[in-house]
């Protein structure tokens, strides 16, 4: 299985993508939270280039929301860095990660809601590049968690001996992916 997350500057498919993460995991191997973090790819994209060259959009409400997030989360995704990559480089890096996984495009791609899929697919289309996986391979974590554990908010406790909720960094795409994978594999009703 795979799990994907983006951090954006809006909630539309053509919103600027600030950063993204992708993690391959095998539930049969019973990975820990740290295993998931260690197996992730994290990419920070160049936002200015997306705005100027690719004409992707910025929602002022989302930008304000980012200003109210924890300093660390803002630093990871929002703050520009010299190492930020162009969108086509980001997509190539995601494809390279996928290419190392046997039959990756035949595996379920999890994401929290539909924005992640819409944003990355929109970016690939804008650049005339292949999407990271087929449209029909995407699944929603929130729906799965609610159905599996009887919740109504897309979240559940995690029953794993080494998992400590305080180690999760909200709005860091690697941590968001790892938490959702843990909920899918080790969820418990609270």
């Amino acid at each position: 299985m795979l799990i994907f997350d983006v951090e954006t500057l809006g909630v539309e498919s053509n919103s600027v993508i600030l950063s993204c993460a992708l993690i391959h995991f095998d539930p049969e191997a019973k990975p820990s939270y740290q295993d998931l973090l260690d197996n992730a790819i994290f990419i920070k994209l160049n936002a200015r280039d997306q705005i100027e060259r690719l004409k992707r959009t910025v929602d002022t409400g989302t930008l304000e929301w980012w200003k109210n997030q924890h300093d660390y989360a803002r630093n990871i995704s929002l703050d520009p860095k010299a190492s930020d990559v162009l969108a086509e480089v980001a997509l190539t890096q995601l494809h390279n990660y996928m290419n190392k996984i046997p039959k990756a495009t035949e595996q379920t791609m999890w994401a929290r809601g539909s924005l992640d899929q819409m944003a990355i697919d929109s970016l690939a289309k804008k650049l005339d590049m292949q999407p990271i996986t087929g449209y029909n391979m995407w699944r929603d974590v929130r729906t799965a968690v609610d159905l599996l554990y009887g919740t109504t908010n897309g979240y559940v406790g995690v029953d794993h001996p080494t998992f400590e909720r305080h180690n999760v960094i909200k709005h860091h795409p690697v941590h968001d992916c790892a938490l959702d994978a843990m909920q899918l594999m080790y969820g418990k009703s609270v």
Side-chain angles (χ1 to χ4, degrees), residues 144-186:
V145 165
D146 285 349
L147 289 172
L148 287 169
Y149 305 107
T151 56
T152 58
N153 66 357
Y155 288 96
V156 70
V158 174
D159 185 15
H160 187 276
T162 65
F163 180 76
E164 296 178 7
R165 181 67 175 87
H166 68 270
N167 288 330
V168 177
I169 302 170
K170 289 177 67 172
H171 309 301
H172 184 307
V174 173
H175 284 262
D176 287 348
C177 283
L179 174 61
D180 279 344
M182 294 295 284
Q183 290 179 104
L184 287 169
M185 292 184 290
Y186 312 115

Side-chain angles (χ1 to χ4, degrees), residues 20-185:
C20 63
L22 179 61
I23 301 175
H24 178 253
F25 65 102
D26 177 3
E28 301 284 322
K30 303 206 179 302
S32 68
Y33 189 72
Q34 189 61 52
D35 294 333
L36 294 165
L37 296 177
D38 292 345
N39 197 34
I41 181 174
F42 170 79
I43 304 167
K44 173 80 169 63
L45 288 81
N46 184 311
R48 180 166 303 287
D49 179 68
Q50 291 178 66
I51 295 165
E52 294 173 356
R53 179 174 61 101
L54 302 178
K55 308 302 182 210
R56 293 185 68 86
T57 63
V58 176
D59 174 70
T60 55
T62 304
L63 194 53
E64 285 301 313
W65 176 88
W66 270 109
K67 290 177 182 176
N68 294 318
Q69 298 312 303
H70 189 276
D71 289 345
Y72 185 76
R74 276 198 325 270
N75 180 47
I76 290 296
S77 290
L78 181 65
D79 296 345
K81 295 175 183 48
S83 58
D84 292 357
V85 301
L86 296 177
E88 44 272 85
V89 173
L91 282 163
T92 299
Q93 291 175 347
L94 291 170
H95 282 287
N96 290 343
Y97 180 93
M98 296 277 291
N99 289 339
K100 295 176 185 174
I101 302 163
K103 299 184 179 183
T105 58
E106 298 174 21
Q107 295 188 33
T108 301
M109 178 72 76
W110 293 96
R112 178 162 287 275
S114 58
L115 178 61
D116 305 81
Q117 175 187 3
M118 292 186 320
I120 199 68
D121 284 356
S122 169
L123 185 62
K125 184 175 182 177
K126 178 74 175 179
L127 295 167
D128 199 26
M129 294 179 73
Q130 289 292 317
I132 60 173
T133 196
Y135 179 82
N136 62 336
M137 298 310 295
W138 291 88
R139 300 294 183 272
D140 175 30
V141 170
R142 291 182 295 203
T143 303
V145 165
D146 285 349
L147 289 172
L148 287 169
Y149 305 107
T151 56
T152 58
N153 66 357
Y155 288 96
V156 70
V158 174
D159 185 15
H160 187 276
T162 65
F163 180 76
E164 296 178 7
R165 181 67 175 87
H166 68 270
N167 288 330
V168 177
I169 302 170
K170 289 177 67 172
H171 309 301
H172 184 307
V174 173
H175 284 262
D176 287 348
C177 283
L179 174 61
D180 279 344
M182 294 295 284
Q183 290 179 104
L184 287 169
M185 292 184 290

